[in-house]
Amino acid sequence: MDVQNLFWLGLLGAAIALLFAVFQARKVLRFSEGTDLMKKIAASIRQGANAYLKRQYTTVAKIFAVVFVILLVLRWFNLLDNWFIPFAFLTGGIYSALAGFIGMKIATSSNSRTANAAHESLNRGLNVAFSSGAVMGFTVVGLGLFDISVWFHILKYIAHFEAAQIASTMVMFGMGASFMALFARVGGGIFTKAADVGADLVGKVEAGIPEDDPRNPATIADNVGDNVGDVAGMGADLYESYVGSILATFALGATAYAGGSLTWNAMLLPLLVAVVGVVCSVIGSFLIRTRENADQRSLLSTLRKGTYTAAILAAVLAAPLTYWLMGSWGPYIAILAGLVGGCAIGYFTEYYTSDTYKPTQSLADSTETGAATTIIGGISLGMKSTAAPIIIISIAVIVAFLAAGGTLSTNSPDYAVLFNKGLYGIGIAAVGMLSTLGITLATDAYGPVADNAGGIAEMSGLGAEVRSRTDALDSLGNTTAATGKGFAIGSAALTALALLVSYVDVVNVKLDGRVLDLSLTNPAVLVGIFVGAMLTFVFAALTMSGVQRAAQSIVVEVRRQFKEIPGIMEGKADPDYASCVDLCTRGALHEMVIPSLLAIVVPVVTGLILGAESVVGLLGGVTVTGFVVAVFMSNAGGAWDNAKKYIEGGTHGGKGSECHKAAVIGDTVGDPFKDTSGPSLNILIKLCSTVSIVFSGLIVKFSIFG
């Protein structure tokens, strides 16, 4: 059988994923939204989220238009390989935005339905929230497979490109998805955390009122933020991770098996592994259910049952598929390394962020001596939590590299060929890690829905038992969100390695015989490493300060309303919710531009000054530091949040106690860690790589000292 004819299976996988997303959406929409007050609150959240995304997409569209024109100019001067790249840049951005938009639409339609379902039972609430998350998860993988498959068929059967040209062209397509994802993550993250921090500092700490109290003017903005940041931003983010891993492996497969009989097989394998993952994720989704009054450990076990079942099924089904395509077990062991590595990272993320385990419980204990020790404890926990993911990724890289045929011995006569096969193993491991993204993202995306449901339950006065159930789902959502970020960050490290190699391959072709000097003794490489490391911290600083400035405006506005609008605290007057939503929108759109543009400007400028070698150093520096800082921030933030919820459950005096106030301050520090800067870094490291590949022709031709 000619395997070239099997690439249409990518379209089949896309159809399965999108149809399942439609099935889950219709299931959610059959549930009741509840009382008229619940419907009114949900409508306000939906209106705010729609308004923000409209303004965000308008802003980003202008920047996309500028970059599109730049790419056309580069192609006109033969500094891009073909005319398809600028247009594929646009489709990548459009699909990335669409994935987030669809996820946000279903999330804002299911929050009140989840609250109303939780009024009946915990299992019913979990069912609605998880089904909403499944719409997001399967939309992301469905659109990703569709975009990849359509472009493959265009390049293969319309442009008549050969395998190597298809692969080198498609790896550049990821820039559009990464570019959109970074804007969505940074902008949405600044919005949601500005509202969250402002609402907590004035509401909980200063006024002493509960979370999501309708008297707090920032409450609606906080709930809007959950959707534009943790849903729309996350959807664009994971779309980019999913597509990026497949495209990078495409390129590595074409290089590693160039000129042989397995070239098309190596390119087909990541696509089919992704399709298998879709089917397994659908099966795992039907296993998500729980009993009434379940504790956090039981809820975690419920989600584990679905995600682990999907991963095990994917591992079993990938075995005969891989052997049939590649004729050896090596690439399958690489896939297995990615799957196991992803699950292991998920477990350790859960261990460090869930309040069912000692680290977060100990962090809650630290609140007994105040906010300062709580902050110190959270930073320490986050730093310590980086060890396990680093070790896991390192083991996965070595195992995947060696299993796929790579060798670490430079004395081998076939070193170059074997080395490339080993790199292909690293790429296919990243695909394995994200193969069951449909269900992994579903367990992640349901969290913001549960959070919104808790807010609606509080504002509409549904009763303590409903809030208790939504809090349980929300606390679980914090852990699964951290787990989802762990998967994204882990896959980003593997994908970034693959993209770095693709950059080197592309540049070597354009150097006309000159070989890159990538030794650490080359000053250009060394300086590039320093610049890449610096980029991670400057990017994190800019996104953190963006949250800070936007949150300060919310704090001032909430204080003003408490002071100037009589009757708010007595419940006799309604706050001006719209003003806080507008402040967050303007702050997020203003603050997101400069950090997002850094990922394009810094690699290109560095390369134009110091040459192509410096860009390799930059990519290495930003990948290593970005990975470590992202894990640190995400886990520290998740632990602070769940330590607060652990206290709100009745430990150390419960809500309103001094320990609770200290935990709230820790949580406000952790908010931009886990929902703005941390998750944005995994996009940064891949966007730097794809930008470097796309602009490699410009760098090679016009570098000053290169």
Side-chain angles (χ1 to χ4, degrees), residues 523-534:
V525 175
L526 194 58
V527 170
I529 291 172
F530 279 116
V531 172
M534 172 273 297

Side-chain angles (χ1 to χ4, degrees), residues 556-571:
V556 170
E557 173 63 16
V558 174
R559 285 174 177 168
R560 182 194 69 77
Q561 292 196 33
F562 279 160
K563 182 179 180 180
E564 297 180 6
I565 301 178
I568 283 185
M569 295 305 293
E570 293 78 23

Side-chain angles (χ1 to χ4, degrees), residues 232-428:
M234 178 179 57
D237 176 358
L238 272 298
Y239 175 89
E240 177 266 349
S241 296
Y242 187 71
V243 170
S245 67
I246 296 173
L247 294 180
T249 310
F250 257 44
L252 291 173
T255 300
Y257 296 91
S261 60
L262 295 178
T263 307
W264 292 108
N265 301 52
M267 293 174 65
L268 178 63
L269 180 59
L271 194 66
L272 293 191
V273 168
V275 173
V276 166
V278 168
V279 175
C280 296
S281 295
V282 170
I283 295 171
S285 298
F286 288 107
L287 302 178
I288 307 294
R289 60 184 70 250
T290 190
R291 56 181 173 79
E292 192 57 36
N293 300 319
D295 57 16
Q296 279 297 298
R297 195 175 294 274
S298 298
L299 288 170
L300 281 170
S301 296
T302 297
L303 294 186
R304 275 200 209 121
K305 185 194 301 180
T307 54
Y308 286 2
T309 298
I312 292 169
L313 284 174
V316 171
L317 294 177
L321 174 66
T322 306
Y323 190 81
W324 172 66
L325 280 175
M326 304 303 295
S328 70
W329 291 110
Y332 171 69
I333 295 174
I335 293 171
L336 209 57
L339 271 168
V340 173
C343 291
I345 288 175
Y347 170 77
F348 279 102
T349 303
E350 177 186 308
Y351 173 76
Y352 279 106
T353 58
S354 172
D355 60 17
T356 60
Y357 297 103
K358 189 172 181 180
T360 299
Q361 293 175 0
S362 297
L363 183 59
D365 295 340
S366 70
T367 61
E368 293 182 327
T369 48
T373 51
T374 305
I375 293 170
I376 293 170
I379 292 173
S380 171
L381 181 152
M383 289 180 171
K384 190 187 302 181
S385 73
T386 63
I390 288 289
I391 293 170
I392 291 166
I393 285 294
S394 299
I395 293 172
V397 165
I398 297 298
V399 169
F401 180 84
L402 295 176
T407 178
L408 299 176
S409 173
T410 56
N411 296 323
S412 171
D414 298 321
Y415 174 73
V417 174
L418 296 177
F419 186 78
N420 284 330
K421 288 184 177 180
L423 293 174
Y424 175 76
I426 295 174
I428 200 69

Side-chain angles (χ1 to χ4, degrees), residues 441-477:
L441 183 51
T443 61
D444 186 346
Y446 106 94
V449 175
D451 193 358
N452 263 207
I456 292 172
E458 180 76 34
M459 286 185 277
S460 55
L462 288 186
E465 76 283 355
V466 179
R467 186 63 206 238
S468 175
R469 291 167 184 161
T470 57
D471 279 351
L473 295 175
D474 183 22
S475 181
L476 177 64

